[in-house]
Amino acid sequence: MKDYPADKIRNIAIIGHGSSGKTSLTSAFLFDSKVTSRFTKVEKGNTVTDYDPDEIERKISINSAACFLEWNGHKINIVDCPGYTNFLWDARASLRAVDAGAVLVCGVAGIEVGTEKVWEMLKEFDLPRILIINKLDRENSNYKRTVESIHQAFGRQAVPIQIPIGEEGNFTGVADLVTRKAYIFEKNESGKFKEEEIPSDLKAEVDKKVEELTEMVAENDEQLMEKYFEKGELSPEELIEGLRGSILNRQLFPIFVTSALLNIGAQLVLDGIVSFLPSPLE
């Protein structure tokens, strides 16, 4: 196996309420990074991290399972954790082995009991974390409603850094507030996408959310606050640097958007894991 320096390693737990899509997102990660040659699925019983016969039969995770991949020159070690209450003790034990958490939230159900329980675990271990709103392709999914439920449960420190393009069956991509670009995905599970300009009908909302994000990042760094007051904005590099510092200090928790089953947005989450989450040295 290739030898990675410690600063090129990320150790994360994929954690959340049961059936929020943790194993499916892990499968998308493994496929997009070419660890697997096909997109494995829970329904087919062929995923890498749900391999126990009981897990395959019941289509739920019972045990935490580890896997790894390479992304942008970094090794990402992933622990896919169970979400149902009876098995949360195993998820809790897994948090001792990681440096950060990725909390999945169902775009239909919003914050659930299991979401709140794993959040408390992450707080107990004082781990940086990101949030991922998944299942945005599903009927009755609603991004804004889900963000509101996140704010009610975890406060305004949970800050969107992406906005979905399209709703429910028309969810086709991601508008990224950091790069200020749109990423339009093919809906064939391939994960292929095109980088485009932000759609005109989303531009006003994106501009507003970028301003809100910039203000929250600047609040956590005096130097950035001074630059923001002087120029009225931060450069993308300054925003990334400030956002990363806020995440590592557990001051902000960025919200990503995905459809794991359609493989929309997964690669952008991997980019975020590399860019924003800590190495073991940190």
Side-chain angles (χ1 to χ4, degrees), residues 55-125:
E55 292 178 315
I56 293 170
E57 180 184 348
R58 299 179 186 186
K59 295 180 173 54
I60 62 169
S61 296
I62 296 173
N63 308 295
S64 292
C67 58
F68 68 90
L69 56 91
E70 180 178 317
W71 192 257
N72 292 344
H74 291 67
K75 182 185 181 187
I76 303 177
N77 295 308
I78 295 172
V79 183
D80 176 16
C81 299
Y84 286 102
T85 304
N86 291 353
F87 313 117
L88 279 179
W89 62 270
D90 201 29
R92 187 178 187 280
S94 299
L95 296 184
R96 295 185 179 277
V98 299
D99 304 309
V103 180
L104 257 71
V105 181
C106 175
V108 179
I111 296 297
E112 300 171 89
V113 174
T115 326
E116 294 178 326
K117 286 185 175 181
V118 300
W119 190 265
E120 288 304 312
M121 292 177 190
L122 289 162
K123 284 177 65 177
E124 179 186 346
F125 286 95

Side-chain angles (χ1 to χ4, degrees), residues 1-5 8-10 26 28-36 67-78 266-267 270-271 273-274:
M1 187 197 307
K2 182 177 173 181
D3 189 25
Y4 295 86
K8 297 292 186 183
I9 294 174
R10 301 289 183 270
T26 302
F29 288 162
L30 294 173
F31 176 71
D32 290 336
S33 60
K34 297 182 170 51
V35 172
T36 57
C67 58
F68 68 90
L69 56 91
E70 180 178 317
W71 192 257
N72 292 344
H74 291 67
K75 182 185 181 187
I76 303 177
N77 295 308
I78 295 172
Q267 297 175 55
L270 288 173
D271 289 341
I273 289 169
V274 167

Side-chain angles (χ1 to χ4, degrees), residues 183-250:
Y183 301 90
I184 309 299
F185 285 77
E186 295 182 14
K187 297 180 73 172
N188 57 5
E189 304 173 2
S190 68
K192 294 179 180 177
F193 63 87
K194 292 180 180 178
E195 181 181 308
E196 299 180 0
E197 295 301 313
I198 300 291
S200 57
D201 60 332
L202 275 181
K203 198 167 187 320
E205 184 180 0
V206 167
D207 288 344
K208 179 185 175 185
K209 294 298 181 185
V210 168
E211 186 175 344
E212 291 175 2
L213 174 63
T214 304
E215 287 177 359
M216 294 191 73
V217 169
E219 283 175 12
N220 297 321
D221 187 303
E222 286 187 16
Q223 289 184 329
L224 291 180
M225 179 65 83
E226 289 177 8
K227 290 180 180 178
Y228 182 57
F229 279 143
E230 286 175 12
K231 301 177 183 177
E233 62 179 3
L234 297 177
S235 70
E237 293 75 21
E238 289 169 339
L239 183 60
I240 290 170
E241 181 184 350
L243 182 56
R244 186 170 200 273
S246 297
I247 293 166
L248 297 191
N249 291 325
R250 277 79 74 198

Side-chain angles (χ1 to χ4, degrees), residues 160-187:
I161 65 168
Q162 295 179 342
I163 294 174
I165 297 173
E167 297 180 345
E168 299 182 349
N170 294 320
F171 175 50
T172 56
V174 175
D176 192 285
L177 306 183
V178 178
T179 62
R180 303 188 196 189
K181 294 288 185 181
Y183 301 90
I184 309 299
F185 285 77
E186 295 182 14
K187 297 180 73 172

